[in-house]
Amino acid sequence: MKCYNVFLNGSWRNTEQQLQVIDPSTNTAFAEVAMVDRATVTQALTDAQTSFAGWNQLTAKRRGEYLRAIASELSARHESLAELITRENGKPLAQAKGEVDMAIDHLLWFAEEGRRAYGRVVPPQADGKRHLVIKQPVGVVGAIAPWNFPLVLALRKVAPALAAGCPVILKPASATPLSAIVLAECVEAAKLPQGVFQVIVGKASEIAEEFLENPICRKISFTGSTDVGRSLIAGAAKTCTELSLELGGNAPLIVFEDADFDRAIEGILITKFRNNGQSCIASNRIYLHRSIFDRYKDELLEKVEGLKVGSGLEQGVDIGPLVDTQALESALSFIDDAVAAGGNILTGGNRYGTTGNFLEPTIITDVSEDARCYREEIFAPVVTLYSFDSETEVVEKANDSEYGLAAYVFTTDLNRSLRVAEALEAGTVGVNDPVPSTSNCPFGGYKQSGWGRELGSEGIDAFLKTKHVSIAGIT
């Protein structure tokens, strides 16, 4: 079993306590990672603060060169890193490779975006004055990344923070710490200054408490559940620590009667079953116009029954294991609840095999709006189908959620696409597009799906403070 150390203040450190990393396809440990205590987190914050002055004083161009160097190192490890993501996360290898590609693209985007963190000169309203508005880095950042996209969602925080001039301490999810360790290896190879980037693995509650209570930590960027997001909000209220929160989702996908059939079918499959259904922007509720409901249902049934389930490292696998036993049990409980509420399982609904955390890809119809899978995020390869009659009706149903991260619309009517996209209460709307996320456009949610935005120019703004400089006495 390979053992990994954590990356602290420019060096690799072992500790007495180790965290086992489990392969979800077998439920057996295949690696160990050193765990830190709260005192070590405190020291990491102190070291990051020490590095802040030097990193901040570098030009944005120079910081961008470092980010490009990290991207180059990731590219050199592309194949082995993708396999490692699949081992710790379970997703099919082809999707893990796509995650590495997107992570590299994030680095390259923010390597340039740091040079565009513009201020402005404001015309004065009084004689003898000049007004400057400048952007400055917020300071030391605590980044808390999730397990479902362990590399790319970490870099959505790390890349813009570094580009803005902020040192970063990354806390990866306990289920998937290895991709963060490899990222630290790339940072080391790129020769970033000591203390600018660190990786810690440990008890989530202790690390979060230190981030919240230590005044050195000026910003926390978190991706995860809405429940944890609420607890961070409560903790931040005591110290006014800044937060960026990318939280849960319950994305609707609407297919109108005029949609391109093949494109919409493919869109449903991608949005629902990518990453084994474990995506915050996965389509949870599929709304099909009543006139086309049966045709889509029959085609989806055939397609879903043809999906290959197995280890993500196997050739041609479409659906890998869920991340752990708890995730599998949760998915089965959603299915049981849907059936108890009158749902009809067209296919799937059971555990797949006897080893690992595999679930049969599942389609459920006739689901009550009182069922959990209507109101909550399923996070599994389970799709629920609903019919609708009118545009007004389906928009109302789509917005009937406390979440608002993503939504999808399939139609060939341009007027309708614009109307519905504007009416949907979601931070990202994909119109005939099942993969709308991109480095150069903002990502984030409405309602209880979070605070702030990642990616795009907004992504670097999240790590910058705005300062007004007023100069008087100019003659």
Side-chain angles (χ1 to χ4, degrees), residues 207-229:
I207 293 171
E209 286 174 2
E210 184 63 26
F211 282 170
L212 286 166
E213 296 174 9
N214 194 317
I216 290 175
C217 185
R218 298 296 181 88
K219 173 94 183 196
I220 298 173
S221 181
F222 169 79
T223 296
S225 72
T226 296
D227 285 344
V228 175

Side-chain angles (χ1 to χ4, degrees), residues 45-273:
L45 286 166
T46 300
D47 293 334
Q49 181 63 27
T50 300
S51 74
F52 178 42
W55 184 247
N56 176 27
Q57 288 170 10
L58 292 179
T59 65
K61 179 181 178 182
R62 183 70 185 106
R63 292 196 296 267
E65 290 170 354
Y66 278 115
L67 264 63
R68 280 190 290 274
I70 298 171
S72 178
E73 294 293 336
L74 282 177
S75 182
R77 295 164 173 78
H78 192 287
E79 295 297 317
S80 61
L81 179 52
E83 290 183 9
L84 196 61
I85 291 173
T86 294
R87 288 291 304 280
E88 64 178 352
N89 169 277
K91 69 181 65 181
L93 183 58
Q95 295 178 27
K97 291 179 179 179
E99 179 171 349
V100 178
D101 289 337
M102 181 60 76
I104 292 170
D105 192 65
H106 286 354
L107 283 161
L108 295 177
W109 165 258
F110 284 111
E112 293 301 319
E113 194 64 10
R115 301 165 73 174
R116 296 187 285 269
Y118 302 131
R120 65 186 189 275
V121 177
V122 180
Q125 297 193 104
D127 292 339
K129 284 194 174 186
R130 298 293 185 273
H131 297 289
L132 309 179
V133 177
I134 62 175
K135 300 289 186 72
Q136 294 180 305
V138 67
V140 174
V141 171
I144 305 175
W147 52 262
N148 57 333
F149 291 89
L151 180 65
V152 78
L153 294 187
L155 277 167
R156 285 189 182 184
K157 308 171 186 310
V158 172
L162 292 178
C166 301
V168 181
I169 300 172
L170 172 63
K171 191 273 177 197
S174 296
T176 55
L178 302 184
S179 49
I181 299 297
V182 175
L183 175 59
E185 292 174 355
C186 294
V187 167
E188 182 184 39
K191 296 180 170 44
L192 264 71
Q194 179 177 311
V196 168
F197 176 78
Q198 301 175 80
V199 172
I200 54 174
V201 176
K203 189 174 180 180
S205 59
E206 286 188 358
I207 293 171
E209 286 174 2
E210 184 63 26
F211 282 170
L212 286 166
E213 296 174 9
N214 194 317
I216 290 175
C217 185
R218 298 296 181 88
K219 173 94 183 196
I220 298 173
S221 181
F222 169 79
T223 296
S225 72
T226 296
D227 285 344
V228 175
R230 293 190 191 105
S231 70
L232 289 173
I233 291 169
K238 300 174 184 177
T239 56
C240 294
T241 303
E242 290 192 25
L243 298 175
S244 287
L245 304 172
E246 196 268 277
L247 307 176
N250 187 9
L253 185 150
I254 303 169
V255 182
F256 287 98
E257 66 273 23
D258 63 344
D260 181 291
F261 181 76
D262 292 334
R263 182 183 288 273
I265 288 289
E266 185 68 12
I268 294 171
L269 293 171
I270 292 173
T271 59
K272 178 67 259 185
F273 296 105

Side-chain angles (χ1 to χ4, degrees), residues 25 27 309-310 328 332 350-361:
S25 68
N27 273 335
V309 181
L328 176 60
L332 291 170
N350 301 299
R351 178 176 180 174
Y352 179 90
T354 58
T355 304
N357 307 314
F358 297 96
L359 179 71
E360 294 174 343

